[in-house]
Amino acid sequence: MFTRRQTIGLLGGGGATLALGTCAAETAAQSAAAPLADDRRWLAKLGEGLRQEYDYAPDVEGRLPDGLAGTLYRNGPGLFERDGAKKRNLLDGDGMIRATSFESGRVRFRTRFVRTRKYLAEEEAGAFRYPTWTTPAPGFLDNIPCIPSRSQAGITPVVKDGVLYAFDEVGGPYGLDPATLETRREIDPYEGAADSGPANYKAHTKTDGATGRWVLVGQRGRVSPELHIMVKDRAGRQERHVAQPNPRGAAYFHDFFWAEPYVVFYLQPALLSPLPMLAGFRPFAESLDWRPDEGGLLFVVDTTGARPPLTVEVPAVWMWHALNAYTAGDTIVADFVGYDAPDHFLGPNAALHAIMQGREGTAEAPGTLRRLTIDLTGRRARLETVAAGRYEFPVVPPARAGRKHRYGYVASLDSGQGWFHDGLARIDTATGAIAAFHFGPGHYVSEPVFVPDPAGAASTAAEDRGWLLAEVLDGASGTSALAVFDAAGLKAGPIAKVRLSHHLPMSFHGWWQAA
């Protein structure tokens, strides 16, 4: 990795000219996308930050389930603009925790920005100062190299041992007080020498539904990173730490599979072209090249060390999120949402870019539920489609994580092209049967979070016994609500809605903490 001084010396003054020209060309390409139609302008609210932090008791429509007691934490970007500068992509922005607490039929809703070092420095300056995943800093020299160096803590919330963790993919997670939402500090979960563990943690972790083990992965190095895996027991003690060279170098991945004792990385052919990024004229996301002809690569790591790591070639698929994985003899079954191409994310007219300028964008390749069946002895894998449709944000009931599952729950788009989902679906992975509810055009629906019904905690027969909680943005009113569904009766629609007095911007992931 080059230092900033080394990179400036290497590139000389010509880099600045090239940087300015490239940024202008990208802006022109983005502006070529058609403006959002009148009945779709409300979608821009997903990229509109909140100007204040909230704490109030919202109205409830319908009847909340008696057993629904605890707090739903969600995380996502809550601030997209400072001093006239705006983030380029819907997936980029300073992290904002939103907490919806349920107790005896009463509801309390709160939001709080994660006070990261980046957030505090830019709050004091009144302007963006650091490059992020999709957006350069305003000053050219601040973009050499154009690599995120400070966490936005805006992707995933996880509660462990009385700490609410807010994850990004830079550095370590930030710890917050789960009761007050006050930010404590950046935390390194690794129990070892600072220079022997991961420098940057991935946003996703896994909690084993049977053992309670907490599995985290991370990387050390940007251009050719080393992969790190940590396994902590239910009490938070580190049991295992495995470090392996990434067999694909700088291939980008966001999530991973856990099937005790294995971690499976799907190293998709999204490969980093580092020189434009080091030069300071392209941010990280725009330095990724999608090369489907090079195929995908599975990297299977036994965290106990009982068998050596295994690599298996598979077809090229873009994956944001795993549904679940489990072992069946000497086979690993891994379900996920996959795309034939990431056209909704990569490219100047990608939907997640264009919406930030109030324009339509490309999202032709659908996210479908797919399955990898990995034969560890035969060193081969089969890829198949479990359910066609347009899906994202897959989840299983927490008790099934790392164990055989039947049902997967996803955000779903009813019909047509696009990426912005308007409903939820339950997919039977054994039969392919789909039960769904869609709010219809004019709505955006976030990731569902499965909340187990405590009355059915002792039963393993009905894995769908519980509720689904999902944020819904209503385009007509410009406000959001939290919809509550009976997981087994999803097709009947929400049984209750927690109606907010304002909109909520895009959020990614949630965590349910029972009372």
Side-chain angles (χ1 to χ4, degrees):
M1 176 62 67
F2 294 112
T3 65
R4 178 174 297 182
R5 184 184 299 272
Q6 290 169 331
T7 306
I8 293 174
L10 176 66
L11 297 168
T17 303
L18 186 56
L20 295 174
T22 301
C23 290
E26 288 167 350
T27 301
Q30 289 176 351
S31 66
L36 289 166
D38 289 346
D39 61 351
R40 286 174 58 80
R41 288 181 182 174
W42 60 273
L43 276 170
K45 280 193 167 292
L46 292 173
E48 180 183 319
L50 293 182
R51 300 294 184 181
Q52 67 181 82
E53 295 175 321
Y54 290 91
D55 186 345
Y56 66 99
D59 294 333
V60 177
E61 176 186 309
R63 186 176 185 276
L64 294 171
D66 293 334
L68 188 63
T71 298
L72 172 68
Y73 298 99
R74 290 199 62 86
N75 196 359
L79 190 155
F80 297 93
E81 188 171 354
R82 286 187 187 273
D83 193 33
K86 188 173 183 179
K87 296 297 182 182
R88 290 184 176 182
N89 193 296
L90 188 60
L91 305 186
D92 205 355
D94 289 287
M96 183 189 72
I97 296 291
R98 46 196 89 168
T100 309
S101 300
F102 300 85
E103 181 182 8
S104 303
R106 298 187 301 273
V107 182
R108 180 186 180 190
F109 177 80
R110 292 170 290 161
T111 63
R112 194 80 186 265
F113 284 101
V114 185
R115 265 67 174 178
T116 64
R117 289 181 298 153
K118 172 186 177 297
Y119 176 88
L120 292 174
E122 293 179 337
E123 187 78 353
E124 181 178 359
F128 291 132
R129 295 179 55 187
Y130 305 100
T132 53
W133 296 108
T134 69
T135 310
F140 172 69
L141 292 180
D142 292 328
N143 294 302
I144 302 178
C146 196
I147 301 172
S149 60
R150 297 198 176 192
S151 172
Q152 298 181 103
I155 301 177
T156 310
V158 177
V159 178
K160 297 288 180 183
D161 301 320
V163 177
L164 169 60
Y165 292 90
F167 280 86
D168 195 349
E169 293 192 349
V170 178
Y174 272 78
L176 290 78
D177 185 313
T180 66
L181 304 186
E182 292 182 3
T183 303
R184 295 172 177 171
R185 59 185 175 87
E186 190 172 7
I187 297 174
D188 185 354
Y190 176 61
E191 298 173 17
D195 59 353
S196 63
N200 299 286
Y201 287 81
K202 299 301 285 187
H204 285 276
T205 71
K206 308 295 179 186
T207 299
D208 192 291
T211 66
R213 287 189 172 99
W214 191 25
V215 185
L216 305 94
V217 304
Q219 300 181 103
R220 176 167 287 278
R222 289 286 191 186
V223 176
S224 184
E226 183 181 55
L227 299 174
H228 287 255
I229 303 167
M230 284 159 295
V231 181
K232 292 177 173 286
D233 66 15
R234 188 186 295 272
R237 296 181 294 262
Q238 187 166 297
E239 291 184 332
R240 313 168 203 166
H241 171 231
V242 180
Q244 290 285 340
N246 187 329
R248 197 157 202 176
Y252 176 75
F253 70 96
H254 178 67
D255 200 356
F256 66 98
F257 300 101
W258 165 252
E260 175 74 59
Y262 302 102
V263 162
V264 181
F265 298 97
Y266 172 60
L267 303 175
Q268 56 202 3
L271 305 178
L272 186 65
S273 298
L275 287 180
M277 182 178 64
L278 294 172
F281 63 86
R282 284 189 191 173
F284 180 90
E286 293 175 11
S287 300
L288 289 175
D289 292 329
W290 178 245
R291 305 176 192 172
D293 291 344
E294 298 188 23
L297 188 68
L298 296 176
F299 187 42
V300 184
V301 181
D302 183 339
T303 59
T304 67
R307 66 194 310 166
L310 170 68
T311 57
V312 181
E313 293 183 357
V314 291
V317 180
W318 176 273
M319 178 183 110
W320 282 118
H321 299 116
L323 172 65
N324 193 35
Y326 58 89
T327 57
D330 212 30
T331 298
I332 298 174
V333 178
D335 291 350
F336 67 104
V337 169
Y339 302 79
D340 289 338
D343 60 350
H344 64 284
F345 172 54
L346 297 181
N349 286 329
L352 301 180
H353 284 278
I355 193 174
M356 298 302 285
Q357 291 85 41
R359 300 182 178 276
E360 293 285 1
T362 302
E364 295 182 0
T368 61
L369 189 65
R370 310 192 189 197
R371 169 167 291 177
L372 286 162
T373 304
I374 308 167
D375 180 350
L376 298 176
T377 301
R379 301 173 68 91
R380 58 181 178 266
R382 182 177 73 253
L383 175 65
E384 59 188 315
T385 298
V386 176
R390 286 185 174 268
Y391 308 125
E392 195 38 271
F393 300 116
V395 300
V396 293
R400 310 310 303 178
R403 304 166 62 193
K404 187 174 182 178
H405 61 277
R406 178 171 181 177
Y407 299 115
Y409 302 88
V410 291
S412 171
L413 181 62
D414 187 20
S415 62
Q417 290 189 349
W419 188 87
F420 299 103
H421 310 95
D422 63 1
L424 301 180
R426 184 186 76 170
I427 301 173
D428 186 329
T429 63
T431 66
I434 300 171
F437 177 84
H438 293 92
F439 290 88
H443 297 84
Y444 172 77
V445 182
S446 71
E447 170 203 64
V449 173
F450 189 96
V451 178
D453 182 349
S459 171
T460 58
E463 70 174 75
D464 59 347
R465 185 164 180 176
W467 305 284
L468 296 175
L469 307 182
E471 292 177 352
V472 181
L473 175 60
D474 182 345
S477 66
T479 61
S480 295
L482 183 68
V484 182
F485 295 81
D486 182 334
L490 179 60
K491 291 174 65 175
I495 56 179
K497 292 181 183 177
V498 178
R499 293 202 171 274
L500 304 180
S501 59
H502 50 85
H503 87 287
L504 291 176
M506 175 80 175
S507 71
F508 300 137
H509 301 293
W511 177 275
W512 173 257
Q513 188 67 23

